[in-house]
Every structure is written in C-alpha cells, then in structure tokens.
Amino acid sequence: MGLNIQNTNLKMTAGFASQFPADPIPQIALSGRSNVGKSSLINTLLGRKSLARVSATPGKTITVNFYEVDKKLFLVDLPGYGFAARNPADRDKWSALTDGYFTKNKNADLIRGVVQLVDSRVGITNDDAMMLNWMNASGIPYILVITKIDKLNKTERANNLAVISGDELIREGTPIIPFSSLKGEGKAELWTAISELTGVKL
C-alpha cells in the first residue's frame, strides 16, 4: 500500500524539545526563512487548503509542528528564521528550539533529511547560507526547493534558477526542485525525493 496523504493530521505543536513525539517513524524537516512559503508548500503537498496555517505575520509563532502522514511519516515544520523584528529573547528561543530538534530529539536517528526552502525572488540569503553550511558540515541529506516560481516571468525564472542552482554551497548531487504552491509545480518531484530519502513508498 502506498502513502495515503488524505490520512494526515497535525500530531503536535511543540514549543519545547521535551514535547517532540516519540513515534518511531521517519522524519523530514522543512527549513527556511520566514515568509518563504513553508505553510503553503505543506498544504500543497498534502492536498489541503489550510492544514498548515499561513500566518499574516511571518515567524509569529515559535513552534515545531509535526504533521503525521498516514502514520508512516512526519513532515516537520521548523520555525522560520530571519527575525528582523524580534527581540533577543525570541531569537534565542528560536535558536534553542531549532537546534533542539536536531540535538535533543528523542528520534534524532529517524531524521532522514531536510527540505530547504529558498525564495526564487530573493535567492540564497545569509541565513540560508548558514543552514546550508551546517547541513554540509553535519552530513545531513537535504533537498533544495526553490519556491514561488509562479511569481517570476520566463526570463527571471531562467536567470534566478541558474544563479541559485549554481551556488557553490549546494552539495553536489542535491535534488533541486522549482516549486509553485499556486500551480502545484514540483509537487510530484518533491514527493519522489522525500520517498527516496525516507524509504516510504508513495
């Protein structure tokens, strides 16, 4: 039997590492800056309109959200980074919670990889670069998803994808997937890449 994405629920909204679920199933984390389109991507992947809430104030909530897919896989929405308007205490909480996902997770050995989101209009930011450097150093597998490509014209799309895809920080062999939540472009390719990382059959 393949993966039934209709059988999906928000298993846990965790504000502390101690709240992370202990279910023994593979995990794929989603990482990116605030307003990069993580919630929209989750809704598109799971065929829902509002399972993941799209915040009017990006980065407003500092939590790790665990979406359980058919009791076979967790899609884990990490809090967005890049809190220009946040105070130091909020930034420290974000850092501790995100770091805790990888270091204090009861099932850290089940983290199969990261879906790293980059905005097609913005490119790889300093925060994105820090995350890529960390994943490269730690050896964790990742998939690079270039979001909001529907907002670019044909020339912009070709140019921006070439610049992002050619960045020397991206580990050789990393899947690079242009994605549009509006049009569903990249959805099938991303599921295939997730399946290959986790061993979960589609």
Side-chain angles (χ1 to χ4, degrees):
M1 289 289 290
L3 191 67
N4 178 13
I5 63 171
Q6 299 303 316
N7 184 24
T8 296
N9 67 289
L10 177 57
K11 176 84 172 186
M12 173 62 69
T13 295
F16 302 94
S18 60
Q19 297 174 320
F20 296 163
D23 309 54
I25 57 177
Q27 301 183 13
I28 289 287
L30 290 92
S31 167
R33 71 182 188 89
S34 302
N35 202 31
V36 74
K38 281 195 286 99
S39 296
S40 297
L41 181 141
I42 290 168
N43 288 332
T44 298
L45 273 183
L46 299 175
R48 304 290 186 88
K49 290 185 177 180
S50 56
L51 180 65
R53 295 176 182 173
V54 180
S55 176
T57 307
K60 186 176 182 180
T61 304
I62 306 176
T63 57
V64 177
N65 299 323
F66 289 79
Y67 296 92
E68 185 183 56
V69 186
D70 202 23
K71 300 186 184 301
K72 297 176 182 176
L73 171 70
F74 275 129
L75 293 181
V76 185
D77 184 13
L78 301 178
Y81 49 70
F83 296 96
R86 286 198 173 278
N87 61 46
D90 283 338
R91 288 195 295 271
D92 288 347
K93 182 180 179 182
W94 173 86
S95 181
L97 190 58
T98 302
D99 181 70
Y101 171 73
F102 293 101
T103 62
K104 298 179 181 178
N105 191 333
K106 304 176 187 73
N107 285 329
D109 59 323
L110 291 174
I111 301 173
R112 297 291 186 249
V114 175
V115 174
Q116 178 63 38
L117 280 67
V118 172
D119 191 321
S120 63
R121 304 165 302 171
V122 178
I124 295 175
T125 66
N126 289 337
D127 288 321
D128 295 329
M130 287 180 64
M131 187 66 185
L132 288 168
N133 275 320
W134 179 82
M135 290 188 293
N136 290 336
S138 66
I140 190 167
Y142 58 91
I143 303 162
L144 192 78
V145 173
I146 305 174
T147 64
K148 304 185 181 184
I149 57 168
D150 53 276
K151 298 184 182 296
L152 302 176
N153 63 37
K154 188 175 180 179
T155 301
E156 290 170 335
R157 172 177 169 137
N159 290 341
N160 291 18
L161 291 183
V163 170
I164 295 170
S165 301
D167 194 289
E168 62 183 12
L169 281 178
I170 300 170
R171 184 188 297 140
E172 186 175 352
T174 295
I176 300 174
I177 301 172
F179 196 90
S180 167
S181 294
L182 181 65
K183 298 182 178 180
E185 182 179 349
K187 176 179 176 179
E189 291 83 354
L190 181 51
W191 268 124
T192 296
I194 290 172
S195 175
E196 290 175 353
L197 278 184
T198 60
V200 176
K201 294 182 180 179
L202 300 178

